[in-house]
Amino acid sequence: QGHLVESGGGLVQAGGSLKLSCTATGFSFSTYGLAWFRQAPGKERELVATIDRLLRTSYSESVKGRFTVARDNNKNMVVLQMNSLKPEDTAVYSCAAGPIRDLYSFVSEYTYWGQGTQVTVSS
């Protein structure tokens, strides 16, 4: 069975930066699309960023220009670099992976999920 484990969360001042990492085991990492989600207390889970097998990326409007997602297939790792952090970014951040059948396809369902890591941005 596949597993994802996040690290790098913590407390940071508004305007600061934080880098989240997610390491995968137990599945064919390079054939999966990857995503970062976040969920703040009392709010629905939000899709933050995605990266597919062709290294195409997407971002939510709220983080575009501030966050960057990247993957390293040799290390089975996906990272989320977060800059210019705002208090509104405070949430539990989770990584997720879903199979992509071919190079040009999109993820239809995220099948593996990490446990989440807390990011708190103080004002």
Side-chain angles (χ1 to χ4, degrees):
Q1 185 181 347
H3 297 276
L4 299 170
V5 179
E6 303 96 335
S7 63
L11 176 64
V12 65
Q13 190 173 327
S17 297
L18 209 59
K19 184 178 181 179
L20 305 182
S21 299
C22 174
T23 301
T25 57
F27 63 96
S28 184
F29 184 82
S30 63
T31 66
Y32 278 64
L34 305 164
W36 286 95
F37 292 82
R38 68 185 182 185
Q39 187 167 26
K43 300 192 67 176
E44 296 293 323
R45 186 169 57 210
E46 174 189 14
L47 180 62
V48 176
T50 67
I51 184 165
D52 68 9
R53 294 178 62 180
L54 292 174
L55 304 183
R56 297 175 297 193
T57 59
S58 67
Y59 302 91
S60 67
E61 289 297 323
S62 62
V63 309
K64 192 173 298 181
R66 300 187 297 120
F67 291 11
T68 303
V69 63
R71 67 188 295 165
D72 185 340
N73 291 339
N74 292 326
K75 297 181 178 180
N76 286 3
M77 183 178 296
V78 58
V79 302
L80 184 68
Q81 177 66 51
M82 305 183 294
N83 299 322
S84 301
L85 283 162
K86 305 174 180 179
E88 308 92 89
D89 296 318
T90 295
V92 174
Y93 285 72
S94 301
C95 60
I100 296 180
R101 294 181 178 273
D102 63 77
L103 248 45
Y104 299 96
S105 296
F106 300 99
V107 173
S108 59
E109 180 183 10
Y110 290 98
T111 55
Y112 298 122
W113 292 80
Q115 82 288 350
T117 185
Q118 177 70 48
V119 172
T120 303
V121 184
S122 62
S123 59

